[in-house]
Amino acid sequence: MASKNLTGETLLAPSILAADFSCLGQQAREAIEAGGDWLHIDIMDGHFVPNISMGPIVVKALRPVADETGALLDVHLMIADPARYIPAFCEAGADRLTVHVESTHHLQRIVQSIKDLGVKAGVTLNPATPLEMIAPILPEVDLVLIMSVNPGFGGQSYIPSSTARIAQVRRMLADIGSQAWLEVDGGIDPGNAAEIAAAGANVLVAGSSIFRGSGSVAGNIAAFRAALAG
Ligand code: DX5
Ligand code: ZN
């Protein structure tokens, strides 16, 4: 099934890191049926970031949920030596696989290896990493993810300077005629979603504000949709 796009331009990627893991499938299904587009899956290894989350087995477990609901599995690798694990995440069913520029000395090789396995390739970078780091690879990627918190944990606050970085990457993509998705991750809620979309983002990741927000999952997603509709 094709990816849904309920807002016309801005997709919502609920981050399951903030979900209740005792009923993960149910929570994931609820988020998509309520209007989420991609399921964002945060992979942390305790080396690249100071937290451990999940591995390919969880991606594989969510694959049937994605197929049934029309969601795409958006896998964000926050791990050392990502090249070693690319085949495992592709085989597990990732639709998008995003690697950190800080985690590899061979970015072009790893992006190509993802694409060779039939998966959309993304690159991302930490808030303090200069945007020039992604410039050489931009023509080859399907997705750029701007981290708006330091990776490792959900529930952090959006770093305000991220908005200027989003706008800058939007210009960089326009300059080369790229149609790559521009995704933003960390501290996003209905209060700042419109500003982030206006800066040029077209995929918003949200964990805490969807799964741990003040309302139900469906209510929290509806609040995003209302905010994005202006
Ligand atoms: C942070 C993760 C984020 C996180 C977002 O390392 O990459 O995807 O789950 O969570 P919130 O929306 O709670 O900031
Ligand atoms: Zn993430």
Side-chain angles (χ1 to χ4, degrees):
M1 196 183 292
S3 173
K4 297 183 294 179
N5 185 346
L6 294 169
T7 58
E9 291 210 329
T10 309
L11 303 185
L12 202 52
S15 173
I16 62 160
L17 188 66
D20 179 350
F21 276 37
S22 72
C23 51
L24 182 57
Q26 188 184 319
Q27 289 252 286
R29 190 180 301 275
E30 191 179 351
I32 298 305
E33 288 175 352
D37 299 288
W38 299 358
L39 284 172
H40 187 80
I41 306 177
D42 286 312
I43 310 297
M44 305 176 180
D45 67 348
H47 291 278
F48 182 71
V49 289
N51 195 9
I52 299 174
S53 60
M54 54 197 122
I57 197 168
V58 176
V59 176
K60 190 174 181 185
L62 289 172
R63 186 66 252 170
V65 177
D67 289 338
E68 288 162 26
T69 57
L72 293 175
L73 299 182
D74 177 37
V75 179
H76 175 194
L77 295 183
M78 287 162 276
I79 61 176
D81 196 9
R84 187 174 168 192
Y85 300 98
I86 295 304
F89 282 103
C90 291
E91 282 164 26
D95 293 298
R96 282 102 178 78
L97 205 44
T98 296
V99 295
H100 271 264
V101 297
E102 304 90 351
S103 69
T104 176
H105 296 300
H106 303 286
L107 192 58
Q108 198 279 336
R109 179 184 290 159
I110 202 166
V111 163
Q112 192 57 51
S113 74
I114 295 169
K115 293 165 73 172
D116 286 347
L117 289 167
V119 172
K120 300 293 186 196
V123 291
T124 184
L125 67 187
N126 292 339
T129 301
L131 295 174
E132 289 70 29
M133 290 284 288
I134 58 169
I137 198 74
L138 277 190
E140 298 180 49
V141 298
D142 302 296
L143 182 156
V144 179
L145 174 61
I146 298 297
M147 290 307 301
S148 45
V149 298
N150 288 289
F153 301 93
Q156 303 180 80
S157 297
Y158 181 83
I159 298 173
S161 56
S162 305
T163 306
R165 284 166 66 82
I166 297 161
Q168 176 66 25
V169 173
R170 175 50 70 202
R171 285 191 291 271
M172 291 164 75
L173 291 171
D175 284 348
I176 60 168
S178 170
Q179 299 294 313
W181 293 105
L182 178 42
E183 184 175 27
V184 184
D185 185 3
I188 302 179
D189 59 36
N192 58 19
E195 169 195 324
I196 294 164
N202 53 11
V203 186
L204 307 186
V205 176
S208 304
S209 58
I210 286 178
F211 292 106
R212 301 184 189 189
S214 53
S216 64
V217 168
N220 295 333
I221 287 180
F224 264 101
R225 209 182 303 150
L228 290 167

